[in-house]
Amino acid sequence: MRLAIIGLGKMGANMARRLRAGNIEVVAYNRSAEKTTDLEKQVGVIPAFSLQEVVDNLTAPRIIWSMVPAGDTTRQIAAEFAGLLNKDDIYVDGGNSYYKDSIALASMFSDKHIHFLDVGVSGGVWGLKEGYSLMIGGERKIADYLNPIFEVLAPGKNKGWGYVGPHGAGHFVKMVHNGIEYGMMEALAEGFELMHAKQDFSLDLEDISRIWQDGSVVRSWLLDLTRDALQEDRELSNIESWVDDSGEGRWTVHESIDLDVPAPIIASSLYRRFDSRQQDGFAMKVLSAMRNKFGGHAIKEKK
């Protein structure tokens, strides 16, 4: 089986490497020709330097797997391929797309009799070694046809991947997955901050994370990564207290509002990320002023 990977960022390039290790032929394309050439030398992909060349290097039914950034880039690449592919070819969006955008893309491809799958992909930089969790949405028969590809990318033949529902469902489930991730990360971060603040105990946070890694109810991959970071720098002194968000946490909160489903932990963890970016947040000034006015509490003035 042969497919094309479009977009050779860290995730796309590592997916191509894992596929090649599983003896699946890969046509690789990136807007930067240098990345394509480098991957050809490293793992033996078939290089392509235009979208037409991608199509020419595939046989019917052609399989295109897009790993480009969500939003305008995803829509642009999909529209270009819609004009190049033929009936019964297959287009997979494996990026972090908004699920409603994926439903729209499915409709566009359907009008041209091209099959479409939206696949939520989780695993980050560790996916090359550990495998990727894959949440697949779209036509079931097309998903079944691509099973050999999913089995190579996933942690195991029957582990970490599966069909979850119709068009949009794959990216919807991945969106909720990332919203849950926000809450789990925030809880761990708050717990470690609390222990860090208990100075009279002189707690060794790296060792505590080691203790929790086995047998504990809170053991997790996120905890493993926390320990890795603490081993490198116990005070995390080289890291600014700025936390970005990829957008999926926001989409999850929006969806909870649309569905009237309370998601206070996910929402709170998202707002905490916003709070991290306000070095001189006005809200904190308002709180300080109110405490001073009603209780005479001291205000810490700027020097």
Side-chain angles (χ1 to χ4, degrees):
M1 183 173 279
R2 177 184 290 188
L3 81 159
I5 295 287
I6 311 301
L8 302 178
K10 287 183 179 179
M11 184 85 88
N14 281 344
M15 289 175 68
R17 290 185 176 95
R18 191 168 175 90
L19 288 165
R20 289 297 298 126
N23 294 318
I24 291 180
E25 293 186 315
V26 175
V27 177
Y29 169 83
N30 195 76
R31 284 180 293 184
S32 167
E34 184 180 357
K35 286 189 176 182
T36 305
T37 303
D38 286 346
L39 200 61
E40 177 192 11
K41 294 176 181 177
Q42 292 168 18
V43 297
V45 298
I46 300 165
F49 300 99
S50 70
L51 301 191
Q52 182 63 61
E53 193 174 350
V54 169
V55 173
D56 291 344
N57 275 292
L58 297 171
T59 56
R62 299 170 184 84
I63 304 167
I64 306 292
W65 189 307
S66 172
M67 290 300 296
V68 302
D72 290 341
T73 304
T74 287
R75 288 188 288 269
Q76 178 186 345
I77 292 292
E80 292 187 46
F81 271 113
L84 295 172
L85 297 175
N86 295 327
K87 179 182 177 182
D88 289 330
D89 286 342
I90 302 167
Y91 192 90
V92 179
D93 180 10
N96 282 332
S97 295
Y98 185 39
Y99 80 96
K100 290 184 179 179
D101 289 346
S102 299
I103 293 172
L105 286 184
S107 177
M108 178 191 74
F109 280 114
S110 178
D111 289 343
K112 296 178 177 292
H113 306 286
I114 299 167
H115 303 290
F116 176 81
L117 294 179
D118 52 286
V119 179
V121 181
S122 180
V125 297
W126 291 89
L128 175 60
K129 177 183 177 182
E130 305 291 342
Y132 298 92
S133 176
L134 307 170
M135 296 143 265
I136 304 156
E139 301 170 70
R140 183 62 185 260
K141 66 178 182 179
I142 301 303
D144 289 344
Y145 177 74
L146 297 186
N147 277 358
I149 293 171
F150 300 141
E151 289 173 355
V152 170
L153 289 173
K157 186 173 181 179
N158 298 304
K159 293 172 60 178
W161 68 280
Y163 176 82
V164 296
H167 292 125
H171 282 150
F172 181 84
V173 172
K174 176 57 164 50
M175 176 191 76
V176 176
H177 165 281
N178 280 27
I180 294 170
E181 177 186 298
Y182 277 39
M184 293 173 67
M185 292 173 70
E186 177 63 24
L188 281 170
E190 290 179 10
F192 276 91
E193 182 173 27
L194 187 61
M195 291 186 291
H196 184 266
K198 192 64 174 175
Q199 294 294 315
D200 52 321
F201 280 173
S202 299
L203 298 173
D204 184 335
L205 301 188
E206 188 273 324
D207 195 50
I208 290 168
S209 64
R210 176 193 62 79
I211 293 168
W212 287 355
Q213 280 181 302
D214 296 290
S216 164
V217 172
V218 299
R219 65 186 183 274
S220 64
W221 186 43
L222 291 173
L223 180 62
D224 296 343
L225 298 177
T226 301
R227 187 188 180 198
D228 290 344
L230 290 170
Q231 283 179 318
E232 294 169 7
D233 180 358
R234 289 172 182 264
E235 292 296 320
L236 304 180
S237 55
N238 294 322
I239 300 176
E240 290 285 348
S241 57
W242 169 286
V243 186
D244 209 345
D245 70 285
S246 62
E248 293 196 313
R250 301 182 188 215
W251 300 337
T252 306
V253 172
H254 292 162
E255 198 67 26
S256 76
I257 295 169
D258 289 344
L259 295 174
D260 295 330
V261 174
I265 302 302
I266 295 173
S268 177
S269 64
L270 173 64
Y271 288 127
R272 282 283 289 158
R273 295 192 178 200
F274 296 162
D275 184 54
S276 77
R277 302 166 205 172
Q278 298 192 34
Q279 300 295 324
D280 194 18
F282 185 73
M284 296 301 104
K285 296 180 182 181
V286 173
L287 283 173
S288 181
M290 284 190 290
R291 292 181 75 250
N292 175 259
K293 294 302 182 184
F294 72 67
H297 302 289
I299 293 176
K300 186 175 182 180
E301 297 181 351
K302 283 188 175 182
K303 296 181 179 180

